[in-house]
Amino acid sequence: MKTDKLQNVLTGYLRWPIILGLLLLVMNVHIYYLDNEIGMIIAIYVIVYMLFAMLLFLVRKRSVAKDIVAYAMSFHAATNEIASDLEFPMCILDFKGISVWDNNLFRNTFASELGRRFSIEEAIPDITADMMPANDGDIREHEFDFGEKHYKAFIRKMNIDANKNVSKKAAAEMKRKSGHAGISGHLYLLYIFDQTELINIRQENYDQRMDVGLLYIDNYEESLDTVDDVRRALLIALVDRKINKYMLNHDVIIRKLEKDKYIFMMQHKYLAEMQADKFSILEDIKSVNAGVADETNITISIGIGSEVETYRKRQEYARSAIDLALGRGGDQVVIKTMDNTLYYGGKSIEQEKNTRVKARVKAHALRDSILIADKVIIMGHNMPDVDAIGSALGIYRIATDLGKTARVVVNSVTSALEPLLDLFKGNKDYPDDLFLTAAAASEFVGNGLGVLLVVVDVNRPSYTDAPGLIDKVSSIVVIDHHRQTGEAFQNPTLSYVEPFASSACEMVAEIIQYSGDEIRLRTLEADALYSGIMVDTNNFMNKPGVRTFEAVAFLRRSGAEMIRIRKMFRTDLEEYKIQAEAVRNMTLFMDSYVIAPCNADGFADPTIIGSKIANTFLDIQGVKASFVLTPYNGKIFISARSIDELNVQLVMEKLGGGGHINMAGAQLTDCTLDEAMEKVKQVLLNMRKEGDID
């Protein structure tokens, strides 16, 4: 050990006077040859010096050794005392994880009821022998909870045989104490730090960060239109009081920006409280209208920006979140963070807007976008339906009558769509290449300069019929009636998304009426738009509104004929047999939800058949929603339908899809039909467990 080396060094220092005495003898001999008398005198002094040096060496050598041993013993005791009294727990383990030595704090904290030798798993269950580092000098870290405190442990592997600072005798002693003298000398040093205070400070800092939110009243004007002045003032006061009371309960600072818009700020910890009660203000605010308005309930939407660096960024996220909430139909909360978007609420059926001001403004903006473009390309979602093609043809008519070259993307034609497209083949009023595949559309777009892309009946880029066109064009317009999801187009020139609308064809029919007097629908186009409304509303049984029938009246005036359209979309006999087979194989889950497979192999458009079957199941008494699963092209397509007792959009979003509150869908990959049916069941069970459904 180091003490042995120290003793040898000090003994060497004691020998130096004797060694230097030899030099004096040489000097004395040299002087003796020069002068005998002086040499004899110096010889006497040298002899005396050597006698004293020898005496000092012999006497002090034993004294120095004794002092060194005493110092080493006291140093070892002091070191052991310091290690034992360290202000953090520490222990030494053998290669099996058995304690060899531990200090006082480790003993008092983790092993007060254990014997001298104990397994580390007995003291700290979260630390096991297989967590020990493999190589000498390696350090592993591990965090764990013990009692009410949080700790961080460091484990270091030591090879005492290879440690030059450890003598063989000491190494043997450590092995003896460990009880494994024949085993290679590997030990583990474990030392632990209490992280509780640090964690609490971090959590407190995290909880005190400010989140920014926006709160909008969805249908302020519509709710007050039929209310007299006195009750209107009362209604406004009640709404304002409920909002402020809810926010006050969560220590939120809220200020009114406009008559129906608020901005608020709060500590992040209160956001968790609001999430825990699923933003009860959404349901609470609806009770304000009791006894005031007969049919219209006031609803609110909230957008919150959280977990980003700056307040400005959080405000931008809040703005994006409120736009998303409104785009999804309102009556919900959207929380937007850097990594995630969370949704709460959204159970109400969308309230139809009585005013057409927005439609007129969007129509003028669309007209301006078309006028400054050189060419217009229009597309819907992949495997387009009649609503997508009908609305696309309406936009085609606007662009053509404004003097622009326009084409429609149809990458795949389903049997349900074929009767409509056949009407345009060989028609001299339309170009032969009116409908383009994705490849032909790419050639039509060219380098994209001056090209306007109008996307209809879809607001998710990945669901479009030709996603490759999106990055090629100069500008994009989005017109859709589906609720928005987290996926959206980046910086569109115009975005017109109205979830209350029954169909994209209804929205385009309104736009046409405000696009200019020179726009004149032709009969085939009116039929196509009428067909889209009829199909998406399931023959006007699925959420048609006042404006739906106003759009239909406009299309009738433009030449649409109901009898002609009905003949066009009659059901094929083989398709009818498939529907009957699906009815035979259906399952009634939780006494309210129909889940059925649709085996439509050999049909060009099995998913269309699946959606028709899903609509059929809603005619069964007691059925709240239907889910029809159709295998096609290696995927499982789910068509979900409901009337007003379940928001099927929320169900489909949990499976990666989306849609409307009563009409939605999803696509599942890497699973069988039976596995997909089990996933739907599991989602319904989880939603019932969370209280989202009965």
Side-chain angles (χ1 to χ4, degrees):
M1 293 180 66
K2 287 185 177 181
T3 53
D4 298 330
K5 292 183 178 181
L6 180 61
Q7 180 178 353
N8 292 333
V9 170
L10 293 176
T11 302
Y13 287 151
L14 292 175
R15 291 193 184 102
W16 272 108
I18 300 174
I19 296 171
L20 292 176
L22 296 176
L23 180 61
L24 292 176
L25 288 173
V26 173
M27 180 189 70
N28 182 234
V29 172
H30 184 71
I31 294 175
Y32 184 82
Y33 280 105
L34 294 177
D35 190 315
N36 292 336
E37 187 177 347
I38 295 176
M40 290 296 292
I41 296 173
I42 292 177
I44 295 172
Y45 283 101
V46 170
I47 292 171
V48 173
Y49 169 80
M50 292 298 292
L51 289 174
F52 275 103
M54 291 293 292
L55 181 63
L56 178 64
F57 174 75
L58 293 174
V59 174
R60 295 299 298 166
K61 179 181 178 181
R62 183 172 297 178
S63 176
V64 167
K66 183 179 179 180
D67 291 343
I68 289 174
V69 171
Y71 171 77
M73 293 297 292
S74 62
F75 180 81
H76 175 74
T79 303
N80 187 65
E81 183 179 355
I82 292 172
S84 298
D85 293 337
L86 282 175
E87 294 185 359
F88 57 87
M90 182 172 67
C91 76
I92 298 175
L93 309 171
D94 66 12
F95 76 103
K96 288 186 176 181
I98 304 299
S99 171
V100 175
W101 174 89
D102 56 86
N103 68 357
N104 295 334
L105 189 55
F106 187 96
R107 169 70 56 176
N108 295 334
T109 305
F110 303 107
S112 59
E113 298 180 0
L114 301 177
R116 187 177 66 85
R117 290 175 52 77
F118 55 85
S119 167
I120 187 61
E121 296 181 33
E122 293 179 313
I124 307 174
D126 287 342
I127 298 180
T128 59
D130 57 5
M131 293 181 180
M132 303 302 165
N135 300 319
D136 295 342
D138 285 356
I139 298 178
R140 283 193 179 179
E141 301 177 8
H142 180 69
E143 295 188 14
F144 65 94
D145 292 322
F146 192 89
E148 297 181 355
K149 293 189 176 183
H150 187 84
Y151 295 92
K152 187 172 185 178
F154 296 84
I155 309 172
R156 179 178 179 178
K157 184 175 183 180
M158 302 182 301
N159 185 350
I160 59 175
D161 287 342
N163 193 335
K164 295 180 180 180
N165 294 326
V166 180
S167 69
K168 292 183 179 180
K169 183 178 179 181
E173 179 66 14
M174 295 178 74
K175 290 181 183 181
R176 185 188 65 77
K177 289 183 177 180
S178 68
H180 301 284
I183 303 299
S184 179
H186 288 122
L187 295 175
Y188 299 96
L189 175 63
L190 169 65
Y191 49 100
I192 301 172
F193 296 102
D194 188 345
Q195 300 268 299
T196 307
E197 185 175 357
L198 178 61
I199 295 296
N200 290 339
I201 292 173
R202 286 178 179 174
Q203 185 63 43
E204 185 176 357
N205 181 59
Y206 179 79
D207 290 341
Q208 290 182 354
R209 290 186 307 169
M210 299 300 292
D211 290 335
V212 180
L214 294 168
L215 185 152
Y216 289 2
I217 300 176
D218 296 328
N219 48 352
Y220 186 87
E221 296 293 344
E222 289 77 7
S223 300
L224 298 180
D225 277 347
T226 58
V227 180
D228 59 65
D229 292 342
V230 175
R231 301 177 80 180
R232 178 180 302 178
L234 175 62
L235 181 63
I236 294 171
L238 288 174
V239 170
D240 195 66
R241 182 173 179 271
K242 280 193 175 292
I243 292 173
N244 280 282
K245 182 179 179 181
Y246 179 81
M247 295 300 180
L248 182 62
N249 289 339
H250 297 287
D251 197 26
V252 178
I253 300 173
I254 184 168
R255 292 292 181 270
K256 181 180 284 190
L257 299 176
E258 300 177 22
K259 58 185 178 182
D260 58 348
K261 294 179 175 63
Y262 299 78
I263 186 171
F264 60 88
M265 298 183 69
M266 63 181 174
Q267 292 184 13
H268 184 70
K269 62 181 178 181
Y270 295 114
L271 178 60
E273 295 179 4
M274 294 180 176
Q275 290 174 288
D277 72 0
K278 296 184 179 180
F279 293 89
S280 59
I281 184 65
L282 294 175
E283 297 300 321
D284 195 30
I285 202 71
K286 296 174 187 176
S287 64
V288 172
N289 266 3
V292 178
D294 295 332
E295 298 179 355
T296 304
N297 286 323
I298 287 182
T299 61
I300 61 173
S301 294
I302 299 175
I304 299 174
S306 178
E307 297 186 22
V308 283
E309 301 84 7
T310 64
Y311 290 133
R312 180 179 295 276
K313 198 71 174 177
R314 291 172 204 173
Q315 193 272 338
E316 291 175 2
Y317 273 38
R319 174 69 63 183
S320 176
I322 194 67
D323 289 343
L324 187 55
L326 296 174
R328 289 164 53 85
D331 184 32
Q332 59 193 278
V333 177
V334 176
I335 303 172
K336 186 173 178 61
T337 67
M338 186 176 296
D339 303 318
N340 199 9
T341 302
L342 304 175
Y343 304 96
Y344 295 85
K347 299 180 182 180
S348 296
I349 297 177
E350 298 91 347
Q351 299 289 335
E352 182 180 16
K353 309 294 182 182
N354 294 325
T355 175
R356 289 191 177 189
V357 174
K358 188 174 183 179
R360 176 172 56 81
V361 171
K362 298 295 184 180
H364 290 172
L366 174 63
R367 178 188 175 96
D368 292 340
S369 297
I370 293 174
L371 287 174
I372 63 176
D374 297 327
K375 294 189 291 187
V376 179
I377 187 79
I378 312 145
M379 72 172 172
H381 50 78
N382 55 2
M383 297 185 67
D385 56 10
V386 179
D387 187 32
I389 298 304
S391 54
L393 289 169
I395 300 299
Y396 167 82
R397 175 49 50 202
I398 297 174
T400 302
D401 285 354
L402 291 177
K404 304 298 179 179
T405 302
R407 294 293 184 269
V408 178
V409 179
V410 182
N411 208 29
S412 58
V413 180
T414 63
S415 59
L417 192 59
E418 195 169 0
L420 176 62
L421 299 187
D422 286 343
L423 299 177
F424 293 87
K425 293 180 180 179
N427 193 316
K428 63 180 181 180
D429 294 330
Y430 298 92
D432 294 335
D433 61 345
L434 171 61
F435 301 107
L436 303 176
T437 63
S442 182
E443 293 182 10
F444 176 80
V445 169
N447 59 14
L449 294 177
V451 178
L452 171 66
L453 171 63
V454 181
V455 178
V456 294
D457 201 31
V458 61
N459 59 54
R460 300 176 68 172
S462 62
Y463 278 33
T464 55
D465 210 8
L469 298 178
I470 296 172
D471 294 329
K472 290 186 175 182
V473 298
S474 299
S475 54
I476 299 175
V477 169
V478 181
I479 301 172
D480 187 31
H481 68 114
H482 296 99
R483 288 188 173 196
Q484 288 182 305
T485 63
E487 182 186 0
F489 288 88
Q490 296 296 320
N491 302 318
T493 304
L494 172 65
S495 180
Y496 185 21
V497 180
E498 286 290 9
F500 69 82
S502 69
S503 58
C505 285
E506 175 190 323
M507 297 173 65
V508 171
E510 284 188 345
I511 288 173
I512 292 172
Q513 298 176 66
Y514 294 112
S515 295
D517 295 336
E518 69 271 40
I519 310 300
R520 288 287 184 269
L521 272 178
R522 297 181 180 179
T523 301
L524 289 183
E525 295 156 358
D527 280 352
L529 285 162
Y530 195 113
S531 300
I533 296 175
M534 187 182 72
V535 170
D536 260 30
T537 59
N538 191 22
N539 294 322
F540 305 102
M541 290 191 295
N542 185 10
K543 72 167 206 176
V546 173
R547 289 169 64 174
T548 305
F549 291 104
E550 289 175 349
V552 168
F554 164 71
L555 296 174
R556 289 283 288 118
R557 292 194 299 269
S558 299
E561 177 57 54
M562 181 63 186
I563 300 299
R564 186 168 58 242
I565 294 170
R566 184 176 180 183
K567 287 181 178 180
M568 190 188 312
F569 294 103
R570 285 187 292 186
T571 303
D572 178 81
L573 178 59
E574 294 301 319
E575 179 183 325
Y576 200 84
K577 291 180 179 179
I578 291 175
Q579 293 184 22
E581 183 69 12
V583 172
R584 189 175 71 86
N585 294 325
M586 76 172 191
T587 299
L588 188 62
F589 184 64
M590 293 166 53
D591 298 328
S592 302
Y593 307 106
V594 169
I595 301 175
C598 172
N599 186 2
D601 292 340
F603 279 79
D605 53 343
T607 59
I608 302 297
I609 299 175
S611 63
K612 292 180 180 179
I613 296 172
N615 284 325
T616 302
F617 285 131
L618 295 181
D619 294 332
I620 301 175
Q621 188 173 5
V623 172
K624 296 180 179 179
S626 63
F627 304 89
V628 177
L629 292 83
T630 307
Y632 182 60
N633 284 346
K635 299 180 180 179
I636 306 297
F637 289 78
I638 305 176
S639 295
R641 299 292 185 270
S642 68
I643 297 178
D644 62 353
E645 296 175 288
L646 175 68
N647 185 346
V648 291
Q649 181 209 7
L650 297 180
V651 181
M652 292 297 98
E653 282 184 342
K654 295 180 184 298
L655 294 170
H660 282 294
I661 190 171
N662 48 18
M663 182 172 61
Q667 301 175 16
L668 302 182
T669 58
D670 300 326
C671 66
T672 64
L673 180 61
D674 290 337
E675 290 171 345
M677 294 176 71
E678 287 301 318
K679 287 184 178 182
V680 174
K681 293 177 181 179
Q682 191 60 50
V683 168
L684 292 172
L685 287 172
N686 291 340
M687 292 182 68
R688 182 171 69 175
K689 184 178 180 181
E690 294 170 1
D692 293 332
I693 61 176
D694 297 331

